Amino acid sequence: MIVLDKVSKKFRLSKKQKREMGNGYKGNFIWSVSDVSFKCQPGRIFTLVGPNGAGKTTTLRMIATMLKPSSGKIRVAGYDTVKNPEHVRKNIGFLTGSTGLYARLTPKEFVKYYADLNGMDEAIFKKRRDDLFDILDINEFANRRIGKLSTGMKQKVSIARTMIHDPDVVIFDEPTVGLDVITSRSIIQLIKNSKEMGKTVIFSTHIMGEVSLISDDLAIIHKGKLLYNSTYENFIAHMKTGTIEDEFIKIIKEA
Amino acid sequence: MKKTFIIFKKELIDTLRDKRTILVMIVIPLLLFPILINIATKITVKQRQKAEEKILNVALILNKNGGSFKSLLKGKKKINLKENVKEHEITNKIRNGNLDFAIIFNKDFDSKINERESGIVRLYYKSSEEVNIQKSRMVNLLKEFEDNLIFIRFKELKINRSIVKAVEIDEHDIASMKEKFGEKIGGFLPYIFVIFCFIGAMYPAIDLGAGEKERSTLETLLVSPAKRLQIVYGKFGVIFLAGILTAAISVFSLFLALKTSQEIPEEILTILLRIVDYKSILLVFTLLIPLCVFFAALLLSISIFAHSFKEAQSIMTPFNFLVIFPVFIGLFPGVKLDSVTALIPVLNVSLATKEIISGTIKAGLLAEVYMSLFILAGLSLYFCAKWFQREDIIFRNT
């Protein structure tokens, strides 16, 4: 379970950023996320939709404890992200589309590294690694340097790294950005599998096709503010336009 | 602690698999000195041999003077005497390479000698690195000729030659070999290990900080259960080790170069190797440890701040000069280790090394150097750890 309660995040502006904001902007800070509250339930996929720069990544980074909220509270798997960040991180898997891998390690070493950081028992780790490598077809390149793998192979290794410690909560931050159709589909499949396993899944995207494919719950974020938060069914039922994309643009424009 | 070690181990494997780091950390320092010293000594020796063995074309214009010089010259090997050269041709012939030297006696040379005055002999040549060695052959010949003339004068006057030497300086240098050579070697050693320590730590630092940002691997590490402090200490450990190893390899390489060089005379080599004993080197390395902590923390802080590999490199380059400058100051004569210089980082290592190698280090000053370095190391590591916890630094590029 993920619970966000009136979460805000402000960033101090550098001189250069201030200049870029124009002469009209007088403050020293910018609110990247403002007063955002929502809940992600286990066994459901929560989709966070918003245009670029809406605050999706900042929100997910706060959930993953990389950033601290300026105000408000976040609880992940029962732990407060500020008070118990290590416990939170032990319970999450985090995957982004731009996630890099250590090119000089092999998939086996890479996955072991994260298993060790998660304090996994050796026997449990081996069993889980073998299962994941079988499911994802990693075995044939498990001992090759990651730098020599194709994009698709790398993404499979990323997935294995995300899931190796069997996290209760999985965070996907625009996981399909820049990937081909086949690799994107394997990510979507992973998200669905995570849901079936009863995990709490939060997924951010700006690709509307993906929203309709997997969402159980939907939130729309724009300029750091939450504009919509309900079930996907509700969203479809109350649409005033013909497509999800049009409805999304209408909500953004009305804000 | 366990997680710090896990991170350290992974970063070490990753670093040792990076060809660029291996090149800077091991290959260059290991090969640099043997290659440099062997090539330099071989070239010098060869040039000297060539200059000494060359048959010189020497024009001699006596102007009916100095007959004994001609026979002296004729008796010498590797000299091709040319007597029919006109005075006005000399400059051109030397410039064209037809002649190496020309010796011209002034017309009044013999009369001046007979009057017990100084006779003038002009020596023409075109100076260059090689000709300067050959020139000494000519000058030695003329000195031999002069010595003969002086000997005759003393004999004619019936006086002892020692009469012109009122004071004979009998020098007694009580400085030991260690002290004499120690200062010279001790001044040069920090140049090697301080600079190599910095350079050796630089590439892993860039790779483990800015490199992680550039490759987008930092995010996954930050969402692992490892604490920020554990991450920073794990990375710091590898950078520190790289710096120390590079410095050690560079010193080892220097000794290897000295030992394997066949051109360095045996007696000098024995003195050099006896002076730089293992105890002194170990003591010098204990100074390098806190200095390397400072370098590693400084470089990691810069690397974490930078957007990319390139930015980190461009910020670090000026720091190279900041490191070289104090070491260079330490080479100046008269700059000594005292209660003030002992507090100046890098310079204090440079000066203390000189004194350690010479065996003249004072315990009080050494303690001051350690204190200064350990405080600096502690502060820089504290700053680096704090720096790594700042969101605006870690996510500066997003």
Side-chain angles (χ1 to χ4, degrees):
Chain A
M1 171 102 88
I2 302 169
V3 184
L4 272 80
D5 184 16
K6 292 179 180 168
V7 172
S8 298
K9 180 69 184 174
K10 63 178 176 180
F11 289 109
R12 183 180 282 277
L13 290 168
S14 66
K15 281 181 186 165
K16 190 182 165 197
Q17 285 168 324
K18 262 190 185 174
R19 271 200 305 276
E20 284 167 359
M21 299 283 287
N23 288 333
Y25 200 86
K26 296 285 174 225
N28 290 322
F29 295 93
I30 187 165
W31 290 92
S32 181
V33 173
S34 179
D35 213 19
V36 167
S37 302
F38 60 75
K39 253 185 207 173
C40 311
Q41 307 279 359
R44 291 181 71 84
I45 298 170
F46 186 99
T47 308
L48 191 62
V49 196
N52 286 335
K56 299 188 298 286
T57 298
T58 305
T59 305
L60 297 186
R61 280 180 174 171
M62 284 193 284
I63 294 170
T65 77
M66 279 186 267
L67 296 172
K68 279 184 188 152
S70 305
S71 63
K73 277 189 184 306
I74 304 173
R75 290 186 77 79
V76 178
Y79 296 104
D80 187 290
T81 54
V82 175
K83 288 178 189 157
N84 301 102
E86 286 86 35
H87 284 97
V88 170
R89 292 201 291 270
K90 223 172 164 154
N91 284 284
I92 60 168
F94 190 91
L95 185 72
T96 78
S98 59
T99 303
L101 295 97
Y102 298 111
R104 296 186 289 264
L105 296 188
T106 66
K108 246 184 180 172
E109 290 167 338
F110 183 67
V111 172
K112 171 91 170 87
Y113 178 44
Y114 284 94
D116 286 345
L117 287 174
N118 277 288
M120 284 182 81
D121 175 80
E122 191 67 18
I124 296 171
F125 156 70
K126 277 186 179 159
K127 167 87 179 61
R128 186 134 179 92
R129 182 198 62 195
D130 292 347
D131 289 350
L132 278 170
F133 279 23
D134 283 344
I135 296 165
L136 295 163
D137 277 332
I138 292 177
N139 287 311
E140 58 175 302
F141 55 87
N143 291 313
R144 226 186 283 168
R145 295 263 175 105
I146 291 172
K148 295 198 170 135
L149 304 181
S150 68
T151 314
M153 288 167 168
K154 283 179 186 166
Q155 199 58 23
K156 284 179 176 180
V157 178
S158 266
I159 294 169
R161 190 266 309 157
T162 310
M163 307 305 287
I164 188 69
H165 56 299
D166 199 11
D168 290 335
V169 175
V170 197
I171 303 164
F172 295 95
D173 184 14
E174 301 192 352
T176 58
V177 168
L179 297 180
D180 60 50
V181 186
I182 300 165
T183 322
S184 298
R185 192 163 286 183
S186 69
I187 301 276
I188 296 295
Q189 193 53 48
L190 168 75
I191 296 169
K192 284 180 177 171
N193 291 347
S194 301
K195 174 192 165 179
E196 279 161 22
M197 285 186 271
K199 296 181 190 299
T200 305
V201 180
I202 183 164
F203 164 66
S204 86
T205 187
H206 59 257
I207 304 166
M208 290 303 135
E210 288 178 347
V211 176
S212 58
L213 264 176
I214 50 171
S215 304
D216 291 316
D217 298 305
L218 180 73
I220 297 172
I221 190 168
H222 180 52
K223 290 182 179 170
K225 291 197 170 98
L226 211 60
L227 303 180
Y228 183 88
N229 180 18
S230 185
T231 62
Y232 178 66
E233 275 177 3
N234 251 336
F235 181 77
I236 298 289
H238 293 97
M239 263 174 37
K240 291 189 174 76
T241 56
T243 64
I244 303 171
E245 198 167 303
D246 289 342
E247 189 66 15
F248 170 71
I249 292 168
K250 185 179 92 60
I251 292 171
I252 297 283
K253 280 190 173 168
E254 281 172 4
Chain B
M1 194 63 198
K2 201 183 164 196
K3 286 197 179 79
T4 304
F5 181 69
I6 292 166
I7 293 167
F8 172 82
K9 203 173 93 181
K10 177 257 152 194
E11 301 294 19
L12 188 63
I13 294 170
D14 207 5
T15 299
L16 292 175
R17 284 181 187 170
D18 181 17
K19 283 178 191 152
R20 200 167 23 184
T21 307
I22 292 299
L23 191 75
V24 175
M25 206 173 110
I26 300 170
V27 181
I28 292 178
L30 197 63
L31 297 182
L32 185 71
F33 294 109
I35 291 174
L36 219 66
I37 288 182
N38 273 306
I39 289 178
T41 47
K42 277 216 165 85
I43 289 174
T44 314
V45 168
K46 211 170 182 180
Q47 269 200 332
R48 183 164 286 277
Q49 271 174 355
K50 207 175 130 192
E52 279 169 0
E53 283 170 15
K54 192 190 169 189
I55 296 170
L56 301 177
N57 291 317
V58 181
L60 180 65
I61 302 173
L62 290 171
N63 286 324
K64 296 172 187 168
N65 291 293
S68 62
F69 183 69
K70 190 177 164 184
S71 49
L72 180 75
L73 212 55
K74 274 188 169 169
K76 297 290 172 190
K77 282 177 188 166
K78 288 169 194 163
I79 285 179
N80 184 17
L81 197 61
K82 302 206 173 197
E83 291 180 271
N84 298 324
V85 184
K86 301 278 179 291
E87 199 168 331
H88 65 269
E89 297 172 339
I90 280 171
T91 316
N92 268 342
K93 288 206 170 199
I94 292 179
R95 213 173 276 284
N96 297 339
N98 294 331
L99 277 179
D100 296 304
F101 292 93
I103 298 170
I104 304 173
F105 281 67
N106 267 10
K107 283 178 180 158
D108 59 353
F109 181 85
D110 275 357
S111 61
K112 288 275 183 196
I113 292 295
N114 292 336
E115 289 160 22
R116 291 186 184 133
E117 287 180 22
S118 296
I120 292 171
V121 176
R122 281 171 280 152
L123 179 66
Y124 287 80
Y125 60 95
K126 191 176 139 199
S127 71
S128 72
E129 202 59 40
E130 197 185 335
V131 169
N132 288 343
I133 301 167
Q134 297 160 355
K135 187 189 140 194
S136 63
R137 283 165 64 186
M138 288 296 110
V139 173
N140 286 343
L141 270 175
L142 287 164
K143 277 204 170 139
E144 196 181 332
F145 175 60
E146 187 197 13
D147 259 3
N148 289 340
L149 294 175
I150 291 171
F151 176 76
I152 294 165
R153 281 186 189 178
F154 279 111
K155 208 175 170 185
E156 283 170 359
L157 293 168
K158 291 178 183 161
I159 50 174
N160 196 324
R161 208 169 167 170
S162 64
I163 201 158
V164 290
K165 200 157 181 74
V167 176
E168 182 145 12
I169 302 164
D170 183 14
E171 286 186 41
H172 293 272
D173 186 359
I174 57 156
S176 64
M177 276 296 193
K178 199 175 162 76
E179 281 168 319
K180 262 194 259 180
F181 281 90
E183 201 171 342
K184 288 187 183 77
I185 303 166
F188 181 63
L189 266 183
Y191 224 84
I192 302 166
F193 62 63
V194 171
I195 289 162
F196 271 99
C197 178
F198 189 83
I199 292 172
M202 202 164 107
Y203 273 99
I206 297 175
D207 195 51
L208 301 186
E212 284 238 42
K213 273 190 182 179
E214 199 170 87
R215 295 187 296 264
S216 304
T217 49
L218 189 62
E219 230 177 19
T220 49
L221 187 57
L222 293 175
V223 290
S224 77
K227 290 178 184 169
R228 296 261 167 106
L229 266 186
Q230 292 168 327
I231 297 174
V232 85
Y233 287 149
K235 286 177 181 292
F236 161 82
V238 172
I239 298 164
F240 168 78
L241 190 67
I244 285 282
L245 267 180
T246 311
I249 291 171
S250 66
V251 173
F252 171 74
S253 156
L254 179 70
F255 282 100
L256 201 71
L258 289 174
K259 273 205 143 168
T260 54
S261 172
Q262 287 156 1
E263 317 296 350
I264 297 174
E266 190 64 36
E267 61 270 24
I268 294 181
L269 194 62
T270 317
I271 293 167
L272 284 177
L273 296 175
R274 208 172 49 208
I275 288 167
V276 188
D277 61 302
Y278 296 108
K279 269 187 202 162
S280 303
I281 292 290
L282 277 179
L283 192 58
V284 168
F285 265 85
T286 61
L287 290 173
L288 201 62
I289 288 169
L291 188 70
C292 192
V293 170
F294 166 61
F295 285 166
L298 172 79
L299 291 169
L300 184 57
S301 301
I302 295 171
S303 181
I304 291 163
F305 175 78
H307 288 303
S308 61
F309 211 95
K310 210 172 163 185
E311 193 192 4
Q313 233 173 350
S314 60
I315 302 173
M316 283 175 192
T317 308
F319 281 90
N320 264 314
F321 298 106
L322 274 181
V323 170
I324 293 169
F325 187 66
V327 180
F328 186 65
I329 294 280
L331 284 177
F332 287 169
V335 183
K336 296 266 174 210
L337 188 70
D338 56 34
S339 53
V340 177
T341 52
L343 294 174
I344 303 169
V346 187
L347 175 65
N348 55 6
V349 174
S350 174
L351 296 173
T353 303
K354 265 203 246 181
E355 306 249 0
I356 289 170
I357 302 289
S358 307
T360 53
I361 188 84
K362 289 188 183 92
L365 284 176
L366 187 63
E368 207 182 309
V369 173
Y370 277 125
M371 190 189 70
S372 149
L373 289 172
F374 276 107
I375 289 173
L376 182 75
L379 283 176
S380 53
L381 192 56
Y382 175 78
F383 170 79
C384 181
K386 283 276 168 202
W387 196 240
F388 200 73
Q389 312 222 16
R390 278 178 55 175
E391 290 171 358
D392 55 333
I393 299 299
I394 298 279
F395 296 106
R396 191 173 147 248
N397 53 338
T398 52

